[in-house]
Amino acid sequence: WDWFTGLMFGSILSATDPVAVISILGSLGAPKQLSTLIEGESLFNDGSAYVLFLLWKDYVTGIDRNVGEAFAYILRLSLGAIGLGLGMGLVMCLWLSFIEDPITETAITIAAAYLTFYVAESEELKVHVSGVLATVVLGLTLSRFRESISRTSEEPVKNFWEFLSSYLDLLIFYLTGIIVTDQLFHGEINGTDVGYLILLYVFIHIIRGVTILTLYPILANTGYGFDWKSGIIVTYGGLRGSVSLALALIVELENDVDRKTKDRILFLVAGIVFMTIIINGTTTGFILQALGMTDAKAEERRAFKLAIQTINHRSDGLQADLRDAPYYCDSDWRVVRKHLPVLYEGEDKNEVKHTCGRYVSYKKNSPYEHDHDHDPAKNSANLAKNSTNLAKNSGNVVMKKRSQMATGEEAKHHPHDYDIELNDEVKTE
């Protein structure tokens, strides 16, 4: 191999896939900051590795550039991709903010993702920026403005993209397995390449460890904080996955690269992916336990978090039922949703907090300020039941009483007039 082939191969192996490690960290209750660091590194690794891969692939296939041209090419691919992804992301979020339908919102995210990649990579449009990096920025923009997705659509959108991601990963692994198997029987792979594979597995960990050790002072004093235990996990958790395989398959399709080089690149990349997933992916948990970075109550915390999600999901279902009720079908439910409490996990992981809007908040100097029990769940239930009674009575409630119905204050003093006493079932729900 010449230098450019080696650099291209290095950029392919630079893309990490932390899915297995993140799953292990979550199941064992490892620090959330560590998971965020590994996942964030992988996210930007994929984009930057693809940009460098395109640069070195051009050199390998005979497209020569001087240093200035190469630098300008990298800037165009990266900065142009950031601008395109940000612009497309903002348009997508604005569009989503006017929609409240799970199928439509899912379709919008699909169209935005693939349209962004197509515009970035299309030869006809001549934009010529990194489609991978542009799509990454698109996703980050949606994450920043995630409130543009309606609450009833968050779960369907998330589930669809998780399914699509798993399916495409499976497809890439399937295609690579077929090609590598064919190479082993009909290609130019021999015992020497197997020896290179083992040495390569050792050296990618050494190189990753040296890099993290070099950056340790910066990592330890900035961001989330970093210690030597985290350094070991980050070094050992650098698994390779579908992105590396996809780049190797791109090389496989290049007619300007000789057959032996293509076979060796795909074999080595597939071998590294296999070894990191089988060896590192299955032993990371033992290393976490040996370093004392696990949480014995991780299962309880997951059950606790699932309970919160179930309550919020039940609330969304009740809202969907009310939207179909004849009394409320003309209501602006996007406004109503902003006024309802949403449960979320507290900082100490053992408490439930809530967000609430004006109907369950309390103004200073309110005449009822000291009488409220400050229970958002009870006040929301009172509000819903009072609103139903108001509709059933065809609005025959005096204005003074209407203003007090939002928090159940009138019902507290005249419960028999409004019949909104909360039974045990309602309190529990």
Side-chain angles (χ1 to χ4, degrees), residues 97-333:
S97 64
F98 294 103
I99 307 294
E100 193 165 350
D101 176 70
I103 296 178
T104 305
E105 291 180 74
T106 302
I108 290 174
T109 59
I110 298 171
Y114 281 91
L115 182 61
T116 299
F117 190 88
Y118 174 78
V119 171
E121 299 282 346
S122 174
E123 291 292 336
E124 292 82 2
L125 298 177
K126 300 186 184 302
V127 177
H128 298 305
V129 298
S130 171
V132 172
L133 189 56
T135 309
V136 167
V137 175
L138 175 83
L140 290 174
T141 305
L142 179 59
S143 178
R144 173 61 181 83
F145 300 103
R146 64 183 305 167
E147 66 274 5
S148 59
I149 298 179
S150 63
R151 217 167 78 194
T152 54
S153 301
E154 283 185 5
E155 198 68 20
V157 171
K158 177 184 176 184
N159 290 340
F160 172 81
W161 279 104
E162 287 181 348
F163 164 76
L164 185 62
S165 174
S166 300
Y167 174 77
L168 294 178
D169 277 349
L170 178 63
L171 182 62
I172 290 175
F173 277 90
Y174 178 73
L175 292 175
T176 305
I178 292 176
I179 297 173
V180 172
T181 302
D182 180 70
Q183 288 179 354
L184 290 175
F185 290 99
H186 305 102
E188 300 185 24
I189 303 301
N190 51 44
T192 303
D193 295 310
V194 176
Y196 283 143
L197 175 62
I198 297 173
L199 286 175
L200 188 62
Y201 174 79
V202 174
F203 273 96
I204 61 172
H205 288 85
I206 294 175
I207 294 169
R208 187 172 173 84
V210 171
T211 302
I212 292 173
L213 183 62
T214 304
L215 297 174
Y216 182 83
I218 300 175
L219 293 170
N221 294 285
T222 59
Y224 298 110
F226 199 76
D227 57 16
W228 65 272
K229 294 181 179 180
S230 299
I232 292 176
I233 298 300
V234 172
T235 300
Y236 194 73
L239 278 65
R240 273 63 172 180
S242 56
V243 175
S244 295
L245 290 176
L247 298 181
L249 289 174
I250 292 175
V251 176
E252 184 72 18
L253 296 175
E254 283 291 339
N255 295 325
D256 295 325
V257 180
D258 65 271
R259 170 50 54 188
K260 185 174 182 178
T261 300
K262 291 194 291 187
D263 287 351
R264 178 173 287 177
I265 287 177
L266 186 58
F267 171 77
L268 292 176
V269 171
I272 290 297
V273 170
F274 177 80
M275 294 179 71
T276 55
I277 290 177
I278 295 300
I279 299 175
N280 299 45
T282 58
T283 57
T284 300
F286 297 109
I287 296 178
L288 280 169
Q289 293 175 348
L291 294 175
M293 300 180 70
T294 59
D295 182 2
K297 295 185 177 181
E299 288 291 340
E300 296 179 15
R301 298 191 194 284
R302 278 200 302 278
F304 183 67
K305 186 175 182 179
L306 179 61
I308 293 176
Q309 293 173 347
T310 303
I311 292 172
N312 286 330
H313 182 69
R314 173 63 175 159
S315 174
D316 294 339
L318 292 174
Q319 292 177 53
D321 293 340
L322 286 174
R323 282 201 298 268
D324 297 330
Y327 297 125
Y328 307 122
C329 60
D330 294 328
S331 302
D332 188 342
W333 280 93

